C-alpha cells in the first residue's frame, strides 16, 4: 500500500485547542455520539453531555461506581448505559443497565440536574450468570422496541429485547465460543445487519467471526472466518459490511464470508467508517504516538495521514471525526470541500484522480463535467487530440458544444469533430447547426457508409436523433439526393420529398404516384404546393389525380349518410391556382369534374371559371372570376389582373368593330359553342336562378363580343330593350324585327314598347330602310301601339324615308278614324234620344196621374181584389202576396238593387287613386280611360262649400 498517493483532503478544525472540559473529572471509560452531542462516561459513575464546542451541557450521576458502556439512541432521545453501582446485597450483582430519557429532567427541587431514569434492568440473573462485559450494542427496532446485545468474555452474548421502559422484555443467549481460554473466546465486537426484514448479528472474537440470523428460532449461527481481532478494531460500513482490523490487514465480511482485504500494516487500535472512508488509528511501534490514516478505498489513495497522541476513544459527530486522547485533548478532523480538493489535484495535474474523486463522492453531473473539461483541455494542450475528444464526449449535456467544436474546426481534426457530433446526436442534444456540420463533415470526408448509417439510424423508432429538415437540406445541397429522399420519406416530410423529386430529380411520375399514396388531406396540401410543376410536365396525370381526390367513389358514397362524406371532399376551386400557366388543362379538369359531379357545392364558381375560359378570345388563365383568390398567388396571376382591369376599355372598341374582326379560328369557335351551351344548360326554363354569376357572364360576353351569349342572358333576365339594342348595334335589321316579333307580342307576355324603340331606331338611322319600316308599321297598326301623329313625327327624322313608306298606313288609319267617328256620332244620337225619352217619362210621373188597369196579381196571377197595392212601375199585388215588404216592387227590386250596388262601387273606385293610375298605365289609350271615368260619373266636379257644410259630390 506504500504506492498509494497521499493527499490532504482533511484538515484539523479545532487547531489543537479543543479538550474535554475540566468539569469532567476522572478517567473516561466510554463515549457515544448522536443527536448533535457527545456523551462521556467516567470511572466515577458520572455521565457528561458535551455540545458542539465541547462545552459541558450538564452532567449527572448515572451509576454509583463507574460507567462501563454508553450509547446514544438515534430515533428517540434516550441514553442507555451499563455501569457498576454499589452492591446492596451479595445476591444482587452490582452491574446493571439503565435507560435515561434526556427530554425529561428531574422535578424541580431536586439537588442535581439529571435526566429521568426510565428503567433499570439487572443484566445478570440466575439464568444469566455474571461474567465480564467486553462489548455492548443497542439496535432500535420499531419504537419502543429495543434489542440490546451484551458480549461477555466467556463467548456468550446476552440479548434483551422488548419495551425496556415498561420492562416488557424477553431474554435469550447466543453462544459463540465455549473454550476455557477467555483470551480467544471473549466477544470483542458486535454489529447489526438489517436488510429488508432480515435481522442478522455479526459477532467477533479474537479467534473467529460468526453471523447469527435472529429471524430464526432459535437463532442460527454461521462461522464466517477463523480469525478475529481485538476490542475497538471492529466497525460496520455504510453498506452493512463488517470491518475488522488486524495487524497485517483490514478485512471486510459479508453475509456469505470474507470479502475484500486491504493490506495496511500495523496494529489497529481503532477502526472506523466515515462517509465512504476507512478510518484507522495505528499504534506507533517505536513511540507512544499513534498514526491516524484516512483511506479512500475506491480511488486507492490516502486522503489524510497524521501523527497523533495516544488515542483513547474514537467517534464521529457533526460531520467531523473526533479523536479523544488519553490526556483528554480532542482532535476534530473535517473533510475539505470538493473545490479545495480538486484545486489541489489540478495543481498536480492529477485529473484522473479528480475524476474518480467526484464520481465516487456522487458529485452532481455539472461538477463532474467541469472536471472532465479541465482534463480534456489539459490533453488538448498536450496535443493528445484523440484522448481529449474522448473526455469532451463525456461532458455532453453539460458543456456547451460550441466550446468543443471551435477547438476541432481545423480540417486535420475533422475525424475528432465528426466523432463528437455523432455522440451529440446519439444523446438527442444536437441542434440544426450541429446536424448541418456533421453532414458537411461526412460529405467532405466522402464517407458514404457513415452517412448511410447516420440517416438510417433510428429505424423502428418514432423519432430521429437529428433535425430532419436540416439533414435533408444539407444532403440536397451536397448532391446526395437519394439520402435526402430517404430521410424525407422516412420522416414523412412530404413537402421535401416532393421538392426533391420534382425540382432536383425530375421524377414526375414517381411524384404523382407518391402523392396518390398519401391521405386525402395530405394529397390536397401537396398538390397545392407543387401542382404547377406537375401540371406543366404531366398535365393529364395530374388532372386524373385531382379528379380522384375531389370525386367520391360509389363504394364510399354508400357508406355515407345524407351526403356528409361529400361535404368533406375538397373543392376543385381550391386547386385552380396550380393551372395558372395551363388554362387548357384547367378547362379539361373542370369539364370532367362537372361531368361526374352534378350537385357540387362549388357549381357556381366552377361555371364562372369555365365561362371565362370558354369566352376569352385567347385561352388564358381566368382572372375576373378569381379576383378574390388567395393572396399567395398574387405574383402568379398579377399580369392577368392587369388584363382584366383594362379589358373593359379595350373591348368598347371591339363591340363597335365586331364586323371587322378577322375570322375566328376553330378552337375559339368551339369554345364559344361550349360557352353558349353552358349558359343554357345552367339556366333552364325550370330554374329560378342560374348556376353561375349572371352579371359576371354578361361582363364576359361584353368583353369578348359574344353576342349570342348576351342575347340569351338578356332574354332570360327579361331585359328586352337590351336584346334589341344588341341587334341595333350590329345593324342586324332582319334579326331585330324577328326578335321584336318574338318579344313584342303582348299575348305571350311580350313588351309592345319594343316596336316603339325599333321605330325610333329606324327614324334616326339616316339610311333607306323602307322595307323594314313598312313591316314595323304593320305590327304597330295591328296592335294600335302608337297614334299616327307620333309615327309621322318619329319617321320624319330620317331624311332617307319618303312619304310613300307611310302612305298606305296613313290612308288606313284615316279610314279607320272616319269609321270610328261615324260610329261615335250614331251612338251619340241614340243616347240623346234615350235621354230625352227618360226625361219626358220623369216629367210625366211628376205631373200626371197614373191609371192602374191590371186585373190580376203579378205575384199569384189570381184576380186582383182588395186590399191591393199598386206600384209606379205598373205592377200590382195582393197585400197578402207582398208580406212584410210593402214599400218596393218584388219584380223590380233586384234590378234596382243592382243599379245601387254599381253606383256604390263606382263611388268607391273614385276614391281609389292607385286603381285609376294602374288602369291608365296598362291601357294602350290613356285618354279613353279618363273619358270612361268621366262618362260613368266617377270623376266629378268638386263643390267648394263653407267650413260648416261638408262637401258633397254632384253627379
Amino acid at each position: 500500500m506504500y504506492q498509494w498517493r497521499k493527499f490532504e483532503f482533511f484538515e484539523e478544525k479545532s487547531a489543537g485547542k479543543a479538550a474535554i472540559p475540566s468539569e469532567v473529572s476522572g478517567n473516561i471509560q466510554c463515549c457515544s455520539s448522536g443527536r448533535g452531542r457527545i456523551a462521556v462516561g467516567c470511572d466515577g459513575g458520572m455521565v457528561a453531555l458535551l455540545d458542539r464546542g465541547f462545552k459541558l451541557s450538564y452532567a449527572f450521576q448515572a451509576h454509583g461506581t463507574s460507567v462501563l458502556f454508553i450509547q446514544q439512541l438515534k430515533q428517540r432521545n434516550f441514553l442507555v448505559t451499563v455501569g457498576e453501582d454499589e452492591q446492596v446485597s451479595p445476591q444482587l450483582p452490582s452491574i446493571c443497565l439503565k435507560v435515561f430519557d434526556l427530554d425529561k429532567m428531574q422535578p424541580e427541587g431536586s439537588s442535581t440536574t439529571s435526566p429521568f431514569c426510565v428503567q433499570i434492568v439487572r443484566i445478570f440473573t440466575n439464568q444469566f450468570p455474571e461474567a465480564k462485559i467486553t462489548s455492548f450494542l443497542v439496535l432500535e427496532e420499531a419504537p419502543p422496541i429495543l434489542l440490546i446485545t451484551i458480549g461477555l468474555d466467556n463467548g456468550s452474548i446476552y440479548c434483551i429485547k422488548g419495551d425496556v421502559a415498561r420492562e416488557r422484555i424477553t431474554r435469550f443467549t447466543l453462544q459463540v465460543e465455549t473454550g476455557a481460554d477467555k483470551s480467544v473466546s471473549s466477544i470483542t465486537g458486535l454489529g447489526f445487519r438489517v436488510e429488508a426484514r432480515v435481522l442478522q448479528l455479526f459477532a467477533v472474537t479474537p479467534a473467529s467471526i460468526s453471523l447469527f440470523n435472529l429471524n430464526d428460532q432459535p437463532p442460527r449461527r454461521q462461522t464466517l472466518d477463523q480469525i478475529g481481532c481485538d476490542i475497538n478494531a471492529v466497525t460496520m460500513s455504510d453498506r452493512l459490511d463488517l470491518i475488522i482490523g488486524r495487524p497485517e490487514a483490514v478485512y471486510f465480511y459479508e453475509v456469505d464470508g470474507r470479502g475484500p482485504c486491504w493490506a495496511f500494516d500495523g496494529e489497529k487500535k481503532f477502526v472506523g467508517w466515515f462517509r465512504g472512508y476507512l478510518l484507522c488509528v495505528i499504534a506507533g511501534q517505536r513511540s507512544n504516538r499513534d498514526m491516524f490514516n484516512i483511506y479512500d478505498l475506491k480511488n486507492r489513495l490516502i486522503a489524510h495521514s497524521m501523527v497523533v497522541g495516544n488515542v483513547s476513544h474514537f467517534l464521529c459527530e457533526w460531520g467531523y471525526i473526533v479523536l479523544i486522547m488519553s490526556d483528554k485533548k480532542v482532535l476534530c478532523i473535517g473533510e475539505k470541500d470538493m473545490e479545495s480538493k480538486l484545486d489541489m489535484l489540478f495543481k498536480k495535474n492529477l485529473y484522473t484522480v479528480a475524476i474518480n474523486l467526484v464520481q465516487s463522492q456522487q458529485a452532481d453531473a455539472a461538477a463532474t463535467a467541469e472536471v472532465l473539461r479541465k482534463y480534456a483541455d489539459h490533453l488538448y494542450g498536450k496535443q493528445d487530440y484523440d484522448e481529449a475528444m474522448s473526455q469532451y464526449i463525456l461532458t455532453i449535456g453539460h458543456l456547451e458544444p460550441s466550446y468543443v467544436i471551435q477547438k476541432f474546426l481545423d480540417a486535420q481534426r475533422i475525424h475528432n469533430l465528426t466523432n463528437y457530433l455523432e455522440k451529440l446526436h446519439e444523446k438527442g442534444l444536437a441542434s440544426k447547426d450541429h446536424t448541418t456540420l456533421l453532414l458537411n463533415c461526412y460529405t467532405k470526408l466522402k464517407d458514404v457508409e457513415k452517412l448511410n448509417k447516420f440517416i438510417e439510424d433510428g429505424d423502428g423508432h418514432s423519432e430521429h436523433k437529428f433535425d430532419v429538415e436540416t439533414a435533408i437540406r444539407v444532403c440536397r445541397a451536397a448532391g446526395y439526393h437519394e439520402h435526402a429522399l430517404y430521410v424525407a420519406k422516412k420522416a414523412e416530410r412530404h413537402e421535401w420529398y416532393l421538392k426533391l423529386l420534382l425540382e432536383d430529380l425530375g421524377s414526375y411520375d414517381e411524384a404523382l404516384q407518391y402523392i396518390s399514396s398519401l391521405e386525402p388531406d395530405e394529397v390536397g396540401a401537396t398538390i397545392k404546393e407543387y401542382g404547377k410543376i406537375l401540371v406543366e410536365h404531366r398535365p393529364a396525370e395530374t388532372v386524373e389525380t385531382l379528379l380522384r381526390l375531389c370525386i367520391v367513389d360509389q363504394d364510399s358514397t354508400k357508406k355515407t349518410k345524407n351526403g356528409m362524406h361529400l361535404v368533406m371532399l375538397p373543392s376543385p376551386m381550391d386547386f385552380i391556382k396550380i393551372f395558372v400557366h395551363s388554362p387548357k388543362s384547367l378547362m379539361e379538369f373542370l369539364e370532367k369534374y362537372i361531368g361526374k359531379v352534378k350537385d357540387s357545392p362549388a357549381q357556381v364558381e366552377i361555371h364562372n371559371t369555365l365561362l371565362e375560359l370558354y369566352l376569352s378570345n385567347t385561352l388564358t388563365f381566368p382572372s375576373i372570376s378569381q379576383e378574390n383568390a388567395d393572396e399567395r398567388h398574387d405574383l402568379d396571376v398579377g399580369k392577368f389582373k392587369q388584363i382584366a382591369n383594362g379589358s373593359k376599355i379595350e373591348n368598347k372598341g371591339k363591340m363597335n368593330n365586331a364586323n371587322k374582326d378577322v375570322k375566328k379560328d376553330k378552337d375559339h369557335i368551339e369554345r364559344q359553342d361550349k360557352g353558349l351551351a353552358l349558359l343554357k344548360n345552367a339556366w333552364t326554363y325550370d330554374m329560378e336562378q342560374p348556376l353561375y354569376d349572371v352579371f359576371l357572364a354578361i361582363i364576359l360576353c361584353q368583353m369578348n363580343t359574344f353576342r349570342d351569349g348576351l342575347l340569351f342572358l338578356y332574354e332570360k333576365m327579361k331585359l328586352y330593350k337590351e336584346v334589341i339594342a344588341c341587334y341595333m348595334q350590329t345593324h342586324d335589321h332582319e334579326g331585330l324585327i324577328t326578335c321584336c316579333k318574338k318579344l313584342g307580342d303582348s299575348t305571350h307576355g311580350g313588351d309592345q314598347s319594343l316596336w316603339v324603340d325599333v321605330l325610333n331606331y329606324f327614324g334616326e338611322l339616316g339610311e333607306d330602310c323602307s322595307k323594314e319600316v313598312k313591316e314595323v308599321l304593320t305590327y304597330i297598326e295591328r296592335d294600335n301601339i302608337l297614334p299616327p301623329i307620333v309615327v309621322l313625327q318619329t319617321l320624319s327624322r330620317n331624311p332617307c324615308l319618303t312619304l310613300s313608306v307611310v302612305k298606305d298606313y296613313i290612308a288606313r288609319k284615316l279610314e279607320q278614324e272616319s269609321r270610328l267617328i261615324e260610329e261615335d256620332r250614331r251612338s251619340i244620337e241614340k243616347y240623346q234620344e234615350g235621354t230625352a225619352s227618360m226625361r219626358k217619362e220623369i216629367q210625366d210621373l211628376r205631373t200626371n196621374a197614373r191609371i192602374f188597369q191590371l186585373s190580376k196579381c203579378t205575384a199569384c196571377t189570381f184576380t186582383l181584389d182588395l186590399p191591393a197595392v199598386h206600384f209606379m212601375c205598373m205592377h200590382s199585388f195582393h197585400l197578402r202576396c207582398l208580406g212584410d215588404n210593402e214599400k218596393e216592387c218584388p219584380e223590380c227590386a233586384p234590378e234596382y238593387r243592382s243599379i245601387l250596388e254599381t253606383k256604390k262601387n263606382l263611388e268607391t273606385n273614385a276614391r281609389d287613386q292607385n286603381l285609376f293610375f294602374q288602369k291608365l298605365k296598362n291601357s294602350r289609350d290613356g285618354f279613353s280611360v279618363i273619358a270612361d271615368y268621366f262618362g260613368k260619373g266617377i270623376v266629378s266636379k268638386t263643390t267648394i262649400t263653407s267650413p260648416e257644410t261638408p262637401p258633397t259630390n254632384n253627379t
Side-chain angles (χ1 to χ4, degrees):
M1 296 301 169
Y2 294 106
Q3 291 80 13
W4 282 22
R5 295 178 181 269
K6 290 185 179 182
F7 299 95
E8 293 299 324
F9 290 164
F10 288 78
E11 61 184 353
E12 187 179 353
K13 300 296 183 180
S14 60
K17 298 180 180 180
I20 301 297
S22 58
E23 293 86 349
V24 181
S25 60
N27 295 325
I28 298 175
Q29 296 291 326
C30 57
C31 60
S32 176
S33 63
R35 301 183 73 89
R37 57 194 165 193
I38 293 177
V40 177
C42 302
D43 55 2
M46 183 72 68
V47 172
L49 298 178
L50 308 180
D51 61 13
R52 186 164 186 169
F54 296 99
K55 303 297 183 181
L56 179 63
S57 296
Y58 62 89
F60 64 95
Q61 189 72 33
H63 294 272
T65 304
S66 65
V67 181
L68 301 178
F69 297 94
I70 188 170
Q71 182 169 339
Q72 171 78 53
L73 302 186
K74 307 293 185 182
Q75 298 182 27
R76 292 185 294 172
N77 196 14
F78 280 12
L79 185 68
V80 181
T81 64
V82 175
E84 184 176 359
D85 291 327
E86 296 180 357
Q87 191 169 7
V88 179
S89 65
Q91 291 78 17
L92 295 176
S94 60
I95 298 177
C96 63
L97 180 146
K98 294 184 180 181
V99 179
F100 295 92
D101 187 349
L102 300 183
D103 290 332
K104 296 180 181 181
M105 305 302 292
Q106 292 289 349
E108 295 183 2
S110 59
S111 59
T112 59
T113 301
S114 61
F116 181 72
C117 182
V118 176
Q119 190 60 258
I120 300 176
V121 178
R122 297 295 175 180
I123 297 176
F124 302 112
T125 64
N126 294 331
Q127 291 80 15
F128 298 91
E130 185 175 357
K132 181 181 179 180
I133 301 175
T134 56
S135 59
F136 173 76
L137 186 63
V138 180
L139 173 67
E140 294 180 86
E141 295 189 14
I145 305 302
L146 299 179
L147 176 56
I148 302 172
T149 57
I150 303 171
L152 306 177
D153 62 350
N154 58 9
S156 298
I157 303 173
Y158 287 174
C159 299
I160 302 173
K161 182 176 182 181
D163 186 355
V164 179
R166 298 182 181 182
E167 206 172 356
R168 297 176 180 176
I169 58 177
T170 58
R171 298 170 182 255
F172 58 93
T173 303
L174 302 176
Q175 189 65 42
V176 178
E177 297 287 347
T178 58
D181 189 359
K182 294 185 178 181
S183 63
V184 297
S185 63
S186 61
I187 305 299
T188 57
L190 297 170
F192 285 108
R193 179 186 179 96
V194 181
E195 190 172 11
R197 296 184 178 181
V198 178
L199 176 59
Q200 296 171 312
L201 175 66
F202 287 103
V204 181
T205 68
S208 67
I209 298 175
S210 302
L211 177 67
F212 292 92
N213 190 340
L214 300 182
N215 293 99
D216 296 339
Q217 294 299 329
R220 180 172 54 85
R221 175 176 173 268
Q222 175 186 356
T223 301
L224 300 180
D225 206 344
Q226 295 297 329
I227 62 173
C229 66
D230 295 333
I231 297 174
N232 296 327
V234 179
T235 189
M236 297 291 293
S237 72
D238 50 11
R239 296 181 56 188
L240 301 180
D241 293 336
L242 177 70
I243 305 173
I244 67 169
R246 291 177 59 84
E248 74 278 5
V250 175
Y251 298 90
F252 282 69
Y253 289 89
E254 299 178 356
V255 294
D256 53 354
R258 184 189 295 182
C261 171
W262 304 92
F264 302 132
D265 292 336
E267 180 185 353
K268 314 301 187 298
K269 292 180 64 176
F270 292 94
V271 174
W273 189 264
F274 176 75
R275 295 181 178 177
Y277 293 101
L278 175 65
L279 312 178
C280 291
V281 176
I282 302 175
Q285 297 178 358
R286 299 181 181 180
S287 64
N288 197 27
R289 300 178 67 84
D290 299 333
M291 178 69 66
F292 176 59
N293 291 336
I294 302 176
Y295 300 98
D296 185 348
L297 302 180
K298 187 172 184 179
N299 296 312
R300 295 177 179 270
L301 56 87
I302 300 175
H304 184 69
S305 180
M306 64 182 296
V307 178
V308 296
N310 186 14
V311 179
S312 63
H313 297 282
F314 172 90
L315 46 79
C316 299
E317 185 63 26
W318 308 304
Y320 297 147
I321 303 168
V322 179
L323 302 178
I324 301 177
M325 307 300 172
S326 58
D327 57 359
K328 293 189 178 181
K329 289 184 178 180
V330 176
L331 287 180
C332 194
I333 300 172
E335 186 177 9
K336 294 181 180 180
D337 59 85
M338 180 62 71
E339 185 177 357
S340 300
K341 292 189 286 185
L342 292 178
D343 288 341
M344 185 187 308
L345 295 173
F346 293 154
K347 289 178 182 179
K348 298 179 180 181
N349 293 329
L350 299 175
Y351 293 98
T352 55
V353 177
I355 294 171
N356 294 332
L357 180 65
V358 295
Q359 291 176 347
S360 64
Q361 297 197 358
Q362 298 179 351
D364 57 63
T368 304
E370 179 63 18
V371 176
L372 292 170
R373 180 194 66 80
K374 290 185 177 182
Y375 183 34
D377 290 345
H378 173 71
L379 294 172
Y380 184 86
K382 294 172 62 177
Q383 297 184 356
D384 188 356
Y385 300 118
D386 294 338
E387 185 61 27
M389 179 53 71
S390 66
Q391 299 302 320
Y392 281 128
I393 289 174
L394 297 177
T395 66
I396 291 176
H398 303 281
L399 181 61
E400 178 62 36
S402 59
Y403 178 85
V404 181
I405 293 173
Q406 288 177 355
K407 292 179 176 290
F408 290 88
L409 285 177
D410 193 335
Q412 296 178 355
R413 296 190 283 275
I414 191 172
H415 293 282
N416 299 119
L417 179 60
T418 303
N419 187 22
Y420 180 79
L421 293 171
E422 287 174 347
K423 299 298 182 181
L424 203 62
H425 281 81
E426 287 180 6
K427 296 187 177 182
L429 299 175
S431 66
K432 296 180 180 180
D433 295 332
H434 299 149
T435 302
T436 302
L437 186 58
L438 177 58
L439 292 174
N440 284 329
C441 290
Y442 286 149
T443 55
K444 288 183 180 296
L445 295 172
K446 299 187 183 302
D447 194 340
V448 180
E449 182 179 354
K450 279 194 173 182
L451 180 60
N452 292 336
K453 182 180 179 181
F454 177 75
I455 64 174
E456 293 174 5
D457 185 31
D459 283 341
H461 299 281
S462 58
E463 295 183 358
H464 292 273
K465 296 181 180 179
F466 54 85
D467 184 74
V468 173
E469 187 172 345
T470 302
I472 295 172
R473 190 184 299 111
V474 175
C475 291
R476 183 188 185 195
Y480 289 89
H481 296 112
E482 295 299 328
H483 296 79
L485 279 175
Y486 177 86
V487 176
K489 187 173 183 180
K490 179 181 175 183
E492 297 183 354
R493 297 295 180 90
H494 311 306
E495 68 281 2
W496 276 105
Y497 189 80
L498 293 171
K499 184 180 292 187
L500 290 165
L501 286 176
L502 298 174
E503 297 179 5
D504 298 324
L505 302 178
S507 302
Y508 307 110
D509 295 329
E510 184 179 351
L512 281 169
Q513 184 179 1
Y514 181 77
I515 290 174
S516 300
S517 65
L518 301 177
E519 295 295 327
D521 54 342
E522 295 175 341
V523 173
T526 52
I527 289 185
K528 288 178 183 178
E529 184 72 21
Y530 306 102
K532 293 178 186 177
I533 301 176
L534 293 171
V535 170
E536 182 180 356
H537 295 88
R538 296 293 187 273
E541 293 82 354
T542 306
V543 168
E544 291 300 322
T545 301
L546 282 175
L547 289 174
R548 288 194 299 270
L549 177 64
C550 297
I551 299 175
V552 63
D553 55 27
Q554 295 297 325
D555 295 336
S556 299
T557 303
K558 293 178 181 178
K559 298 178 182 179
T560 60
K561 294 182 179 180
N562 301 325
M564 289 301 293
H565 188 78
L566 185 61
V567 176
M568 301 303 294
L569 293 176
S571 170
M573 301 307 296
D574 297 340
F575 308 99
I576 192 171
K577 297 303 178 183
I578 69 174
F579 296 96
V580 65
H581 301 303
S582 304
K584 188 173 182 181
S585 299
L586 173 60
M587 184 172 65
E588 178 186 354
F589 168 54
L590 295 179
E591 285 175 346
K592 291 183 177 180
Y593 179 81
I594 62 174
K596 296 182 179 180
V597 180
K598 303 300 183 183
D599 54 351
S600 172
Q603 271 186 328
V604 174
E605 292 82 356
I606 295 173
H607 290 159
N608 291 341
T609 305
L610 279 175
L611 282 176
E612 190 166 355
L613 291 168
Y614 288 152
L615 302 183
S616 59
N617 292 323
T618 58
L619 185 58
T620 56
F621 182 76
S623 57
I624 298 179
S625 59
Q626 300 301 316
E627 285 182 355
N628 294 325
D630 195 323
E631 293 180 0
R632 66 181 176 179
H633 298 286
D634 287 346
L635 295 176
D636 296 327
V637 299
K639 58 181 181 180
F640 300 106
K641 288 189 176 182
Q642 295 176 2
I643 295 174
N645 292 332
S647 59
K648 295 182 180 180
I649 299 174
E650 295 179 6
N651 284 285
K652 289 181 180 178
K654 294 181 181 179
M655 293 292 290
N656 296 327
N657 301 310
N659 293 329
K660 298 179 182 179
D661 289 344
V662 295
K663 185 178 180 181
K664 299 176 182 179
D665 57 11
K666 182 178 180 182
D667 178 67
H668 188 202
I669 295 174
E670 289 179 355
R671 285 191 287 109
Q672 285 192 335
D673 292 340
K674 290 181 179 180
L676 182 59
L678 177 59
L679 290 173
K680 292 181 179 180
N681 295 333
W683 197 358
T684 58
Y685 288 101
D686 56 346
M687 295 181 181
E688 294 184 2
Q689 295 294 332
L691 298 177
Y692 49 81
D693 188 341
V694 65
F695 299 104
L696 175 64
I698 291 175
I699 293 174
L700 293 173
C701 292
Q702 289 178 343
M703 290 174 57
N704 297 283
T705 63
F706 185 45
R707 193 184 72 170
D708 293 342
L710 279 174
L711 293 175
F712 171 77
L713 293 171
Y714 287 152
E715 183 176 345
K716 290 291 292 184
M717 298 174 70
K718 299 187 183 301
L719 300 176
Y720 300 143
K721 293 186 180 296
E722 282 74 8
V723 174
I724 62 173
C726 291
Y727 289 104
M728 293 176 183
Q729 196 170 12
T730 57
H731 300 288
D732 185 359
H733 298 164
E734 182 179 355
L736 177 61
I737 294 175
T738 302
C739 177
C740 282
K741 291 179 182 178
K742 177 182 178 183
L743 303 179
D745 189 357
S746 60
T747 59
H748 294 84
D751 185 3
Q752 291 182 342
S753 63
L754 296 179
W755 292 110
V756 178
D757 295 337
V758 173
L759 188 65
N760 287 327
Y761 165 73
F762 286 125
E764 297 175 354
L765 187 59
E767 62 183 46
D768 187 10
C769 51
S770 303
K771 179 180 177 182
E772 290 80 0
V773 171
K774 289 180 179 180
E775 188 172 0
V776 171
L777 289 177
T778 302
Y779 291 97
I780 292 177
E781 180 184 3
R782 184 193 69 181
D783 296 331
N784 195 20
I785 298 172
L786 287 176
I789 186 64
V790 177
V791 173
L792 292 176
Q793 290 174 349
T794 302
L795 295 178
S796 64
R797 294 195 292 269
N798 190 343
C800 298
L801 295 177
T802 60
L803 186 60
S804 60
V805 176
V806 298
K807 181 178 68 173
D808 295 337
Y809 167 74
I810 294 299
R812 290 192 298 273
K813 293 300 289 184
L814 290 175
E815 181 181 355
Q816 181 181 0
E817 292 295 331
S818 298
R819 187 166 57 252
L820 292 175
I821 292 172
E822 181 63 26
E823 290 177 357
D824 290 341
R825 187 182 63 78
R826 286 196 297 269
S827 298
I828 291 171
E829 291 178 353
K830 180 180 178 183
Y831 291 147
Q832 287 177 344
E833 291 177 357
T835 302
S837 175
M838 289 181 184
R839 287 177 177 173
K840 182 179 179 182
E841 184 177 356
I842 292 171
Q843 183 64 25
D844 185 51
L845 289 172
R846 288 178 177 176
T847 57
N848 299 324
R850 302 287 287 183
I851 300 172
F852 301 98
Q853 296 179 350
L854 289 177
S855 59
K856 292 185 178 180
C857 175
T858 304
C860 62
T861 67
F862 289 105
T863 302
L864 192 63
D865 55 3
L866 297 176
V869 178
H870 303 279
F871 292 96
M872 298 298 290
C873 60
M874 302 308 293
H875 292 141
S876 300
F877 299 89
H878 294 113
L879 180 60
R880 62 178 178 272
C881 292
L882 290 176
D884 295 334
N885 191 3
E886 301 179 356
K887 295 182 178 181
E888 61 181 8
C889 175
E891 292 292 327
C892 299
E895 182 180 357
Y896 178 68
R897 290 195 190 96
S898 176
I899 294 173
L900 291 178
E901 186 68 27
T902 301
K903 182 179 179 181
K904 182 178 179 181
N905 291 337
L906 292 175
E907 291 174 352
T908 303
N909 293 337
R911 292 189 293 271
D912 190 354
Q913 299 179 5
N914 294 330
L915 179 62
F916 170 73
F917 287 110
Q918 185 67 30
K919 289 183 177 181
L920 190 63
K921 181 179 179 180
N922 295 334
S923 176
R924 299 177 183 176
D925 188 1
F927 180 77
S928 62
V929 175
I930 298 174
D932 183 57
Y933 266 68
F934 272 100
K936 293 179 179 179
I938 297 176
V939 180
S940 60
K941 186 176 182 180
T942 302
T943 302
I944 301 176
T945 60
S946 61
E948 292 79 5
T949 306
T952 59
N953 289 334
N954 297 327
T955 302

